[in-house]
Amino acid sequence: MPLVTIGINHKTAPLDVREKVVFAPEQMNNALHELIELPGLREAAILSTCNRTELYCNLQETAPHGPVIDWLGQYHRFDSQSLRPYLYDFSDADAVKHTIRVASGLDSMVLGEPQILGQLKTAYGVAAEHGTLGKYLRRLFQHAFAVAKHVRTDTAIGSSAVSVAFAAVSLARQIFADLSQQRALLIGAGETIELAARHLRGNGLTEAIVANRTPERAARLANEIGAMAISLTDIPQVLHQADIIISSTASPLPILGKGAVERAIRQRRHQPMFMVDLAVPRDIEPEVGTLDDVYLYTVDDLERVVAENIASRYEAATQAEEIVAAQTEHFMGWLRAQDVVSLIRSYRDRAERTRDDVLHKAQRQLAQGRPPEEVLTFLAETLTNKLTHEPTAALDHAARDGRLELIAAAHELLHLPRDTNKP
C-alpha cells in the first residue's frame, strides 16, 4: 500500500518554475478527478501554495510513480523531462515523515510558520469533498495535523509570529522607519493578506485599502482592520496613494503592470513605493522592479529577511524533529498493522465459529437433561482442544523440521516461557 508524495518547493525550484505548476482553486475539482483516474492510483490530494505544489497519493503495490509525474507536467503543459530535476519523490516512511514535517512548519521557508497547516487542512478538505481520499491518506493527514499541534504545543517552534506575511512587514519597516505615516494597499483577501494586515496594524499602520476581485470579501477584511474596500478594477485610481503594496491573489495573470506603476510614480512625484508580490503566479509584472523609486520583492526575495528570524528556532526545530521521527514510526506501525487485519479477522472468525459449534452441542446436552457440571466440563475441554489442536500440531511439525524461527515466534506471540518444564 505505497504512500507517495511528489512535489516541488522553494528549496528545489526557482519561482519561474514553481509558478508554472500551480493549481488555482478553480482547477482543483478537475485536477483531482483527472489524477485519481491514473492507473494504479487509489487516493489523491493536492497541496498548492506560493512555495510548493505537492501530490499526495496512495498507489497500488506495483504501480510506478512515473505516470503521476508525467501527469503533473502535462496538466500544466510543462515538459515532464524539464520538470523532473526540480521534483522530489518520497515513498512510504519518507512520504509520511515529509507530510508531518510540512504540517509542522519544518519544511517551510519560514521555519515553524503556522500558515502551511491551514493550507494543508484546506487541501485535505477539498480532496475529501471531491471523494479522492480513502482510509490511508485520510489517516495520514489526520495524524499529521495531530503531530503538528503536538509540536506547536510542546516546543518553542511557534513562539513568535513568523510567516511570509510577517517577513514582508519586517522588510517594510526597513524601508519606512515609521509605518504610522504610511498607507498600504493590500491586494487579495485571503489568509496571507489577512496576516499581513494584522502585522501592519501591529506595527503602527493606520491607513489601508483592500482590493479584491470579490467586493464582499474585500469589505469583510476592510471592516476588520478599519480600511477602505475597493474592487481590482479600481486599483489604478488609488495606486498612487499607496506607499506599501502587498499582493497575494490566485489570479493567473498579473494584476499590476509596469505602465500602471509608472503613472502612479509620476503622480507621487517619485516618492518611493515598497511592493511585495507574494503570489504564484506573480501578481506584479517583474519589469516593475526596474523602475526607479520602486522596491519590488517576490516570495523568493524574502529568504534573506526570514533567515534573520530563523536562528532562534533551530533548537526548537531539533526537538520537533525528534517528535516527527517518533510519530513517523508510530504511523508506520499502524500502516504495517493493516497488512494483518484480514488475517486477524479470519483467525477470530474461525475461533468464534468453533465456540458457537461447541456451545450449540453443550446446549443440546443440557436440553437432553445431562448434569450442568458434566456439560461445563465437556464445553471447557472440547473448546480447549479445538482451539489448541492446529497451533500445537504446527509447532510439533516445526520442531521435527528444525524450523526454530517459527518456534521462537510462537514464544513471542503466545507469551510462553522458554522452558515449559520449569514451574
Side-chain angles (χ1 to χ4, degrees):
M1 198 68 62
L3 294 175
V4 174
T5 301
I6 294 169
I8 185 171
N9 66 19
H10 61 284
K11 296 177 182 177
T12 66
L15 177 59
D16 60 348
V17 174
R18 296 202 309 274
E19 64 185 359
K20 292 178 181 177
V21 293
V22 167
F23 291 89
E26 60 271 17
Q27 293 178 301
M28 280 298 183
N29 183 13
N30 172 262
L32 281 168
H33 284 96
E34 276 195 25
L35 181 57
I36 200 68
E37 290 299 321
L38 293 180
L41 203 147
R42 291 169 168 166
E43 304 176 59
I46 299 174
L47 172 66
S48 190
T49 74
C50 59
N51 285 328
R52 71 180 65 243
T53 292
E54 294 184 339
L55 309 179
Y56 299 87
C57 305
N58 173 15
L59 298 174
Q60 293 177 0
E61 292 291 343
T62 58
H65 303 182
V68 180
I69 296 173
D70 292 339
W71 175 85
L72 178 61
Q74 291 164 6
Y75 188 89
H76 293 286
R77 297 178 175 81
F78 193 112
D79 178 47
S80 298
Q81 293 305 314
S82 300
L83 185 60
R84 283 176 184 264
Y86 302 105
L87 291 173
Y88 42 86
D89 182 353
F90 298 125
S91 298
D92 298 321
D94 290 334
V96 172
K97 182 178 181 180
H98 177 78
T99 305
I100 297 174
R101 293 187 77 252
V102 169
S104 303
L106 295 173
D107 194 57
S108 299
M109 179 184 291
V110 182
L111 183 64
E113 60 92 5
Q115 187 178 0
I116 186 62
L117 179 58
Q119 293 166 331
L120 196 61
K121 286 182 176 180
T122 298
Y124 168 81
V126 171
E129 178 185 350
H130 293 293
T132 61
L133 287 186
K135 173 182 177 180
Y136 293 93
L137 280 187
R138 192 181 297 274
R139 180 66 176 256
L140 173 59
F141 280 117
Q142 292 172 349
H143 186 69
F145 300 154
V147 177
K149 182 179 179 181
H150 181 191
V151 166
R152 194 155 297 279
T153 301
D154 292 359
T155 75
I157 197 74
S159 58
S160 57
V162 180
S163 64
V164 174
F166 180 78
V169 174
S170 298
L171 196 54
R173 290 178 59 193
Q174 295 180 27
I175 305 297
F176 304 104
D178 185 3
L179 294 187
S180 66
Q181 303 301 311
Q182 315 305 320
R183 179 184 286 110
L185 170 61
L186 305 175
I187 306 175
E191 186 177 356
T192 299
I193 291 297
E194 289 184 24
L195 287 171
R198 293 194 197 104
H199 290 312
L200 285 168
R201 285 181 62 83
N203 283 275
L205 187 130
T206 57
E207 294 188 53
I209 302 169
V210 178
N212 193 55
R213 191 177 306 278
T214 307
E216 292 78 13
R217 291 196 65 186
R220 193 180 309 124
L221 177 57
N223 289 336
E224 291 178 10
I225 64 173
M228 180 174 74
I230 63 172
S231 67
L232 295 184
T233 56
D234 295 326
I235 289 177
Q237 283 72 52
V238 301
L239 186 58
H240 66 283
Q241 301 175 19
D243 306 297
I244 299 168
I245 297 95
I246 300 178
S247 186
S248 179
T249 76
S251 173
L253 299 173
I255 302 294
L256 289 178
K258 183 179 179 182
V261 178
E262 280 182 314
R263 288 189 293 273
I265 286 292
R266 286 196 296 270
Q267 288 178 278
R268 291 171 58 83
R269 297 183 180 179
H270 297 278
Q271 293 182 47
M273 297 179 76
F274 170 72
M275 309 180 79
V276 179
D277 187 351
L278 298 178
V280 180
R282 283 174 274 201
D283 283 341
I284 303 172
E285 289 183 349
E287 292 77 13
V288 170
T290 65
L291 297 175
D292 293 334
D293 306 309
V294 172
Y295 299 88
L296 174 61
Y297 297 86
T298 67
V299 287
D300 284 0
D301 295 322
L302 295 180
E303 286 190 0
R304 177 182 58 81
V305 179
V306 302
E308 298 173 3
N309 301 316
I310 288 177
S312 64
R313 295 193 169 199
Y314 279 126
E315 184 176 347
T318 300
Q319 183 183 357
E321 293 285 10
E322 293 174 357
I323 294 173
V324 169
Q327 291 299 324
T328 297
E329 181 53 34
H330 178 76
F331 184 85
M332 292 305 296
W334 174 84
L335 200 61
R336 289 189 292 268
Q338 305 314 298
D339 294 337
V340 297
V341 166
S342 60
L343 176 63
I344 293 172
R345 186 179 296 116
S346 297
Y347 180 70
R348 290 188 63 88
D349 287 346
R350 188 175 67 178
E352 288 171 359
R353 286 194 301 271
T354 300
R355 175 204 63 195
D356 293 343
D357 178 58
V358 175
L359 180 60
H360 178 68
K361 291 178 179 178
Q363 290 171 334
R364 195 165 53 198
Q365 290 180 11
L366 285 173
Q368 293 170 351
R370 303 205 34 195
E373 295 82 0
E374 183 179 325
V375 174
L376 283 174
T377 300
F378 165 81
L379 176 66
E381 290 180 350
T382 304
L383 188 59
T384 300
N385 289 336
K386 284 182 174 290
L387 291 177
T388 60
H389 172 70
E390 289 189 359
T392 52
L395 284 172
D396 181 66
H397 286 302
R400 293 173 185 275
D401 295 340
R403 298 182 62 188
L404 301 181
E405 76 285 353
L406 186 58
I407 295 173
H411 278 293
E412 183 174 351
L413 289 171
L414 302 176
H415 300 285
L416 297 175
R418 290 290 172 177
D419 187 353
T420 55
N421 293 318
K422 292 182 179 182

